[in-house]
Amino acid sequence: MDNPSPYGDYKFVGRVDHVKIFNQAIKSICFNDYGMLHVSDDGLRITVEQGKSIQATLFMPPAAFKEFYVQDFQSFGLKMNVLSECLNLFGSADCSLRIMYCDQGSPLKIILYPYDDEDVSTECAIQTMDCEEPIDYDLELKGPDLNVIFVRGSNLSKVFHELEKSAEEFEFITSPDRPHFKITTVGIMQAVFSVEVAKTSPMMMMFNCKNTVKARYKSHHIRLTNKAMQSATKVAIKTNSIGLLELHLVMQGDGQEEIFVQFYIIPLLNTE
Amino acid sequence: MKYTLEGNNARVIAKAVQSLSKVGKEMFIEIDQQGLQMRAINATQSAVGSIFFKRSMFEIFDMPPNSDFYCKISMKGCLAVFRNMNEVEYCELNVVDDQTNLKVNLRCKLETTKEATISIIDDQNINTNIDTDPRPNVIRGEHKLFTDISNNFNTTEEELTLEANSRSLVAKNYIEGARVNDKFMRTQLKLKPSEFDQYQVTNETIITFCIKELRAFLLFAECLNASLSLEFDDAGRPLLIKIKKHGEIECLLIMSTLSPEDVSFSDDYCQRDLTARDGDEPLETSKRKSKKPEPPPKTNKRKSSAPEPARSQPKRRLAESDHETSIETPLFQFRNSEAPSVQQPRNLAEVDTVDLIECEADEEALMLAAADAALEATLAPNVPQVPNSTEVCFYNSDDPPTTQMPQLPASSSDDDETIPQSPQRETRVRAIFSRCFQSTYVPREPSPNSQAFAPNSDTED
Amino acid sequence: MKFRALMQDPMYMREFQAIVATLAKLAKECIMILGERQMHFIVNEDQSSTSSPLVWASIAAEEYFPEYRLETARPDQDYIVLSMSSANLSRALSVLRGGGISSCKLKLQRIQFPCISVIATVSSSAVTEDREVVHDVPVSIIPASDWSAYVVPRVPNSQLALCLPSVRLLRSLIDKLKNISPSLEFQASYDGELSVIATSEMSTVTSRFQRLVPRSLTGSEEGASCSVDSRKASAFFGALQLPNEEMTIAIEREQSIHLQIYVRQDVVLHSILPAVCM
């Protein structure tokens, strides 16, 4: 039976009470021009990639929405900075948000209602376009040789934030033996800096490393995770035997809703 | 060689590094039986900052008896390791790898350890020949007072002038009566002796010195919550700024001050109301809006083409410095108005890590000075005699000071060729007081004979 | 030629400082016109800047200055017109931002060249005696022969004006909208609604401000709209340092937008944004 939908022709309608955390999450993955948006019954996903070396996905389950409706949705691409600018139109003022998408090729509609002033509102219509499917890193990460560490977000954020910016690369060590978790700079003239955290540290929520994994990553890629890290309550660090790094962050909004941001970073090949 | 500090003391050392980083680009560390000293010298060699920590501040101070240790490391490296000290509980310093590396290990909260290994560049140190006799003028006050004074002046100001007499202290960004650029905003602040903890001015004087290094030291005084004392004499003689805390920390900033003969005074300087004639002057908008004259590109070359006088002078001065019996030899020579360079090539030969200044403000200063140099070229060159001057000397700790110009064996071949570097530094020194030498003042006022002077307006105030 | 003025009220001193600070954010140079009872400041009087709008402030001298004395160069002249660096004047007045200033004097005098001396007397409680801080702001005196280039702008003939109770949200909005489109369309309706529209290839943003108080200046109930340069608009809103939040937006159809802030009675800040083609 064809029940006429209360949402008419719209394929996706979502309502969020507080735009702040959504705005922060979007900003944290804005490192490339275009992103891919997909909505399913599982929730909303936005994926951004830079080459074949780093990928970030924002995931918002239906529980994070005040209202969530999806029907026959097909992925589309959009410009990330335009989306971010629109969400940020009222700056730090708290707003409620409505997101609507009608049909393939139609613009994505975002409406903001600031709480301070009910006589003000702004509506953005953002152009959408076709896009390619992102790389599926999940497949590569399945395997028995996995080191998994859960860290408190605010503590790990400080560690990452203090990493020396002038380094070209960072070497990560995760291991059941000492050093358990260590990040060392590579490529700074006349100096080497490192930070090490013991597995018994109170910031470690879980420490399960089966093998010593040593891998190097471009410092630029690691720093792309900083914005998301700043708002994260929990971070899962996972790495497999070849050093593919997965950072899975949980961001929590004012109303206790949770948004997830997941990074995959490819290691640099060992040239030694 | 191992030196350790608990968290709070480590934080003080970090603040000292931050302050000294605003003075110079290299950190000189000197460790002896008494304690550890950090020093920095500024690019123009007109200020040396030293901060000394007594060995009692350290938990472990592992110095072999009857020995000492000197090293020079990059200031950037120091800043990086001591940047964020909030979580630090314990700090350990080690000289490792056969004295080629300095290792800093910071034990922090939550079982986190930060470590830095910084290369030691060499074992140079700074030697300052400063006499410790008390100066006739001593002014001591809370750091907050000096910070208040400093805050009245723009962050881009380069010099500060203090007019000290028994009744008042006036802080200015100019020298009274000196010719200035007609876009220059004068600022002055009048203080009474009662504002200071100690105010002893027996020798009325006006001194001018770099404000940047003073501000760097103020930062440290603030962190220690300590007072500063300024000790000085006549213009041209060095100014000493001291901070002492708990008998464990001693800071000394030695700064050279401007010599009065290096200031050019304005003929038409007076304070009065304007007249109708002032209202008739045509507007020279486009001319006046451009402050920067075109820099003649040949300036540097011109300087380097005159090495002869340069080389003879340093010898003479060094010879004088060996007559240590003269008590009042000022530490720094203030060379700022000779057209040919009189920098000592030998110093530069030793300090092979001199950085040329890159920032915009300095470029402008260079251009202003270049214009000034062009003007100077048309006037009779005036080489002021600056007797009794010594320069800051660099010594390798292995070589004792000699009566000749010390030569670093490795780089002596380039001695004469370092002159190309020195003119730029010379220019920088001149540029500090460039406003005094502005050749672009607008001579639009009519001759004094025809002006109708209004009575001084201040009577009604 | 003489000019002396004195301020003693801390609130007025802060407002005066805020006006000058606003102007300093808009242009490097400013014009100061001293009349017998009025003081005006103008920036971008020639409108040659592509990114900063024409802005002027008109201050009734008696509002801020219990003492205000003017003597022009010649008896037949009504004004003294000066040009100076707005940054310098703003910095000279910045001491008025903190508390503890018992008085601030402005004095036109010549030391080596003409300048306006700003003399502030600081009497903080920690110090037994007063401290004096003096800044001498260099000025150029504009001769009467050139005055025609520096007149106080005339207010445009707007058809409709709306009063916005708080510029805060509009300010943030315009700051972001300037990145989206080089021009913004302002649409005002007689029922008190203001729409601000930015259009680009990638997006269209329409913002609505409702329930504003309208004022028709022609008697008709028709709306009015005008498109202006978004960078200029953003520069004006971004420069504001005044404590006031209220603003009047008046539109002359397809000609200009006139923005006004009443700092207090007889102290008004104006800006005119000229129309641009969409």
Side-chain angles (χ1 to χ4, degrees):
Chain A
M1 292 301 283
D2 251 5
N3 284 340
S5 158
Y7 296 100
D9 288 333
Y10 281 93
K11 293 223 160 70
F12 168 55
V13 174
R15 200 152 57 96
V16 177
D17 267 348
H18 299 280
V19 73
K20 183 169 157 195
I21 197 74
F22 184 50
N23 195 359
Q24 275 172 1
I26 295 283
K27 269 197 218 166
S28 74
I29 61 169
C30 262
F31 52 82
N32 213 16
D33 279 347
Y34 294 94
M36 190 213 70
L37 197 146
H38 182 80
V39 191
S40 68
D41 290 327
D42 292 333
L44 166 81
R45 270 195 167 80
I46 303 180
T47 306
V48 178
E49 291 180 319
Q50 197 174 78
K52 292 193 166 49
S53 43
I54 181 169
Q55 182 193 76
T57 303
L58 178 158
F59 172 61
M60 220 164 139
F65 291 83
K66 187 67 179 264
E67 201 179 320
F68 184 86
Y69 166 80
V70 63
Q71 186 84 352
D72 293 337
F73 193 95
Q74 275 206 310
S75 317
F76 60 76
L78 79 172
K79 274 205 101 180
M80 290 304 293
N81 66 327
V82 174
L83 174 60
S84 178
E85 264 166 21
C86 290
L87 291 172
N88 211 30
L89 281 171
F90 288 119
S92 54
D94 194 14
C95 308
S96 72
L97 164 76
R98 191 176 281 166
I99 315 177
M100 307 194 297
Y101 181 67
C102 189
D103 211 346
Q104 202 63 22
S106 60
L108 177 71
K109 277 213 198 115
I110 298 198
I111 311 175
L112 294 169
Y113 303 93
Y115 284 109
D116 310 349
D117 196 337
E118 53 183 24
D119 296 322
V120 183
S121 68
T122 187
E123 179 177 313
C124 316
I126 303 175
Q127 285 285 56
T128 62
M129 56 210 79
D130 295 330
C131 67
E132 286 181 11
E133 282 295 315
I135 302 171
D136 191 348
Y137 288 91
D138 244 343
L139 295 171
E140 297 196 38
L141 255 183
K142 303 250 189 298
D145 293 344
L146 240 111
N147 285 354
V148 182
I149 309 173
F150 285 7
V151 194
R152 280 188 217 291
S154 53
N155 300 129
L156 189 65
S157 172
K158 278 204 197 116
V159 170
F160 270 54
H161 189 69
E162 282 175 24
L163 293 174
E164 216 11 63
K165 289 185 183 59
S166 52
E168 281 170 18
E169 298 170 6
F170 293 121
E171 181 186 83
F172 275 57
I173 300 177
T174 49
S175 171
D177 312 312
R178 286 242 200 90
H180 303 128
F181 178 64
K182 185 171 179 178
I183 307 174
T184 310
T185 63
V186 179
I188 299 181
M189 256 214 337
Q190 299 186 326
V192 178
F193 301 92
S194 69
V195 60
E196 184 184 328
V197 185
K199 71 178 174 189
T200 44
S201 164
M203 71 164 91
M204 300 293 190
M205 296 165 78
M206 187 195 90
F207 195 92
N208 194 349
C209 290
K210 301 204 178 77
N211 268 316
T212 300
V213 176
K214 206 194 267 195
R216 283 192 288 142
Y217 310 93
K218 271 185 98 163
S219 72
H220 163 68
H221 289 157
I222 299 292
R223 277 185 279 119
L224 287 178
T225 66
N226 276 354
K227 274 214 191 97
M229 199 76 76
Q230 270 164 26
S231 320
T233 52
K234 275 203 294 263
V235 182
I237 305 173
K238 298 184 194 169
T239 155
N240 64 3
S241 53
I242 60 151
L244 173 68
L245 181 67
E246 178 189 345
L247 293 173
H248 207 134
L249 302 97
V250 183
M251 291 161 87
Q252 199 161 50
D254 295 325
Q256 305 306 310
E257 64 272 19
E258 286 186 337
I259 301 183
F260 304 89
V261 179
Q262 190 179 44
F263 285 87
Y264 284 104
I265 303 177
I266 302 284
L268 294 165
L269 290 172
N270 244 337
T271 48
E272 298 157 81
Chain B
M1 281 186 279
K2 185 159 123 169
Y3 313 92
T4 71
L5 299 137
E6 62 83 37
N8 288 327
N9 285 346
R11 271 179 275 282
V12 176
I13 298 249
K15 289 281 182 199
V17 171
Q18 280 162 27
S19 284
L20 288 173
S21 72
K22 294 183 170 31
V23 175
K25 293 212 164 89
E26 286 162 339
M27 175 69 87
F28 294 82
I29 298 180
E30 301 168 11
I31 312 179
D32 62 18
Q33 300 303 318
Q34 273 75 51
L36 184 149
Q37 178 159 230
M38 292 180 162
R39 314 184 80 178
I41 181 167
N42 71 351
T44 49
Q45 295 184 18
S46 55
V48 170
S50 316
I51 301 183
F52 172 74
F53 301 96
K54 228 172 172 171
R55 74 186 280 164
S56 48
M57 267 187 76
F58 296 80
E59 299 220 337
I60 298 173
F61 193 88
D62 177 23
M63 182 88 233
N66 303 322
S67 71
D68 48 28
F69 173 74
Y70 301 88
C71 74
K72 179 174 91 184
I73 55 180
S74 132
M75 189 63 85
K76 238 169 66 171
C78 286
L79 272 177
V81 67
F82 289 112
R83 202 191 328 267
N84 196 332
M85 299 289 286
N86 292 336
E87 317 279 311
V88 173
E89 290 172 341
Y90 199 74
C91 167
E92 188 175 306
L93 300 162
N94 270 295
V95 180
V96 297
D97 301 333
D98 197 19
Q99 299 195 0
T100 56
N101 276 320
L102 178 70
K103 198 149 127 191
V104 183
N105 186 296
L106 299 170
R107 273 204 327 248
C108 306
K109 294 193 187 137
L110 301 178
E111 293 184 60
T112 306
T113 310
K114 292 197 275 196
E115 198 170 84
T117 306
I118 308 172
S119 315
I120 291 175
I121 300 171
D122 56 41
D123 57 356
Q124 276 190 10
N125 70 307
I126 307 175
N127 188 9
T128 56
N129 300 320
I130 195 76
D131 72 79
T132 48
D133 281 2
R135 264 109 182 115
N137 298 332
V138 179
I139 296 177
R140 198 178 79 239
E142 288 291 310
H143 64 86
K144 188 174 184 307
L145 174 61
F146 287 102
T147 305
D148 275 350
I149 296 173
S150 149
N151 286 344
N152 276 290
F153 299 93
N154 207 0
T155 44
T156 56
E157 293 290 0
E158 288 178 345
E159 314 101 69
L160 183 66
T161 298
L162 292 179
E163 286 180 5
N165 60 49
S166 51
R167 298 170 310 284
S168 69
L169 182 74
V170 185
K172 298 178 164 169
N173 67 345
Y174 64 100
I175 297 170
E176 194 69 41
R179 190 183 302 155
V180 297
N181 182 310
D182 66 355
K183 289 285 188 207
F184 177 70
M185 180 162 85
R186 293 183 162 97
T187 300
Q188 63 171 293
L189 176 61
K190 294 191 179 128
L191 298 128
K192 306 262 171 49
S194 54
E195 296 202 51
F196 298 91
D197 296 338
Q198 184 193 355
Y199 192 88
Q200 173 195 308
V201 175
T202 51
N203 185 4
E204 199 168 299
T205 183
I206 302 173
I207 52 166
T208 302
F209 52 92
C210 293
I211 195 175
K212 177 165 153 234
E213 287 78 11
L214 169 65
R215 284 184 164 142
F217 255 58
L218 272 176
L219 224 63
F220 192 56
E222 205 174 344
C223 128
L224 292 180
N225 196 17
S227 320
L228 278 100
S229 68
L230 274 67
E231 297 177 16
F232 54 101
D233 198 345
D234 293 321
R237 295 236 140 102
L239 160 71
L240 304 184
I241 300 179
K242 296 182 180 166
I243 307 170
K244 286 192 168 70
K245 187 80 180 179
H246 294 149
E248 281 191 321
I249 305 174
E250 273 177 39
C251 317
L252 175 64
L253 177 63
I254 307 168
M255 290 216 273
S256 49
T257 61
L258 185 60
S259 255
E261 62 233 19
D262 298 322
V263 181
S264 104
F265 289 87
S266 160
D267 296 328
D268 49 49
Y269 187 93
C270 67
Q271 208 157 323
R272 61 161 181 85
D273 278 332
L274 285 90
T275 64
R277 304 200 68 167
D278 292 310
D280 285 340
E281 283 139 21
L283 192 62
E284 296 171 32
T285 36
S286 51
K287 275 190 240 154
R288 234 134 15 132
K289 274 181 162 97
S290 79
K291 183 159 69 136
K292 297 182 206 181
E294 283 308 309
K298 55 180 165 35
T299 307
N300 291 340
K301 287 199 213 124
R302 178 170 66 77
K303 289 190 160 100
S304 62
S305 69
E308 296 308 307
R311 252 179 281 149
S312 57
Q313 295 224 4
K315 275 202 175 83
R316 180 175 65 80
R317 268 185 229 102
L318 183 62
E320 276 172 358
S321 80
D322 292 329
H323 301 308
E324 296 295 333
T325 48
S326 74
I327 295 170
E328 295 294 302
T329 51
L331 178 64
F332 303 88
Q333 181 214 353
F334 227 82
R335 298 165 296 275
N336 48 20
S337 47
E338 309 101 287
S341 163
V342 289
Q343 278 286 353
Q344 327 78 294
R346 94 194 130 78
N347 275 355
L348 290 168
E350 293 179 51
V351 184
D352 50 359
T353 49
V354 163
D355 287 353
L356 294 177
I357 297 110
E358 278 132 13
C359 69
E360 244 180 65
D362 297 317
E363 261 177 46
E364 189 189 317
L366 280 171
M367 293 208 275
L368 288 171
D372 184 25
L375 175 67
E376 291 263 355
T378 63
L379 308 172
N382 174 31
V383 181
Q385 297 302 308
V386 189
N388 300 329
S389 65
T390 53
E391 294 93 19
V392 173
C393 306
F394 286 89
Y395 294 100
N396 282 326
S397 51
D398 302 323
D399 311 329
T402 62
T403 50
Q404 295 174 315
M405 291 193 259
Q407 302 280 327
L408 232 198
S411 50
S412 56
S413 55
D414 280 345
D415 223 20
D416 298 348
E417 298 325 296
T418 58
I419 291 174
Q421 267 188 325
S422 48
Q424 282 152 310
R425 297 179 90 233
E426 162 73 342
T427 312
R428 177 74 179 93
V429 169
R430 293 170 71 172
I432 291 176
F433 297 88
S434 63
R435 287 194 207 93
C436 305
F437 309 122
Q438 266 310 313
S439 55
T440 54
Y441 78 102
V442 179
R444 12 175 219 97
E445 38 285 19
S447 80
N449 305 328
S450 58
Q451 266 180 329
F453 284 88
N456 194 307
S457 53
D458 286 325
T459 49
E460 57 216 288
D461 296 329
Chain C
M1 207 186 297
K2 229 194 247 190
F3 170 62
R4 298 273 181 286
L6 175 72
M7 284 187 283
Q8 284 173 316
D9 185 309
M11 185 164 62
Y12 297 160
M13 286 195 275
R14 248 176 277 133
E15 277 175 20
F16 187 67
Q17 182 272 329
I19 292 172
V20 175
T22 300
L23 299 173
K25 279 194 120 179
L26 290 162
K28 290 209 174 98
E29 302 273 317
C30 74
I31 301 291
M32 186 184 199
I33 300 177
L34 298 166
E36 207 193 328
R37 284 201 287 270
Q38 286 260 327
M39 180 192 281
H40 307 272
F41 289 97
I42 314 177
V43 291
N44 297 319
E45 73 283 351
D46 56 2
Q47 303 212 51
S48 59
S49 167
T50 47
S51 54
S52 196
L54 165 65
V55 178
W56 76 98
S58 293
I59 301 167
E62 62 182 11
E63 285 291 339
Y64 286 154
F65 305 99
E67 256 180 65
Y68 183 90
R69 259 176 296 165
L70 187 75
E71 257 177 52
T72 57
R74 293 190 207 291
D76 61 329
Q77 287 176 357
D78 293 330
Y79 305 102
I80 294 177
V81 181
L82 309 167
S83 158
M84 68 195 79
S85 148
S86 43
N88 275 347
L89 185 62
S90 179
R91 201 159 67 73
L93 294 169
S94 64
V95 65
L96 303 181
R97 231 199 333 238
I101 313 290
S102 57
S103 76
C104 178
K105 220 184 313 188
L106 303 176
K107 199 174 10 168
L108 177 64
Q109 60 181 348
R110 167 181 229 113
I111 300 171
Q112 189 185 302
F113 39 77
C115 56
I116 293 240
S117 296
V118 178
I119 304 149
T121 309
V122 185
S123 40
S124 49
S125 51
V127 168
T128 47
E129 314 204 42
D130 288 347
R131 243 189 244 165
E132 208 178 72
V133 182
V134 182
H135 295 277
D136 301 316
V137 182
V139 300
S140 308
I141 302 178
I142 302 198
S145 52
D146 292 350
W147 286 0
S148 54
Y150 303 102
V151 291
V152 177
R154 251 210 318 232
V155 156
N157 297 323
S158 311
Q159 285 96 21
L160 182 61
L162 294 171
C163 178
L164 188 68
S166 167
V167 295
R168 211 169 26 92
L169 290 174
L170 180 59
R171 177 182 178 152
S172 167
L173 203 60
I174 293 186
D175 181 51
K176 309 288 180 336
L177 291 178
K178 74 172 189 291
N179 299 326
I180 294 178
S181 168
S183 67
L184 295 177
E185 190 187 347
F186 283 71
Q187 289 175 358
S189 78
Y190 188 69
D191 35 334
E193 182 168 311
L194 175 73
S195 296
V196 181
I197 305 160
T199 312
S200 80
E201 220 183 280
M202 299 306 310
S203 63
T204 303
V205 182
T206 309
S207 311
R208 282 185 195 88
F209 294 78
Q210 291 169 316
R211 303 210 302 179
L212 305 177
V213 178
R215 196 159 42 99
S216 167
L217 304 154
T218 56
S220 99
E221 292 186 4
E222 273 181 68
S225 73
C226 182
S227 294
V228 296
D229 186 307
S230 59
R231 259 193 318 167
K232 279 194 185 174
S234 174
F236 178 68
F237 283 86
L240 293 174
Q241 321 244 325
L242 302 164
N244 314 67
E245 295 221 334
E246 224 177 68
M247 180 189 283
T248 303
I249 302 175
I251 302 183
E252 185 182 4
R253 271 185 213 112
E254 312 305 336
Q255 291 297 318
S256 69
I257 295 183
H258 174 211
L259 305 167
Q260 270 171 282
I261 297 182
Y262 281 83
V263 182
R264 56 180 52 250
Q265 178 85 351
D266 296 328
V267 178
V268 192
L269 185 75
H270 302 261
S271 179
I272 296 180
L273 302 172
V276 296
C277 314
M278 276 285 270

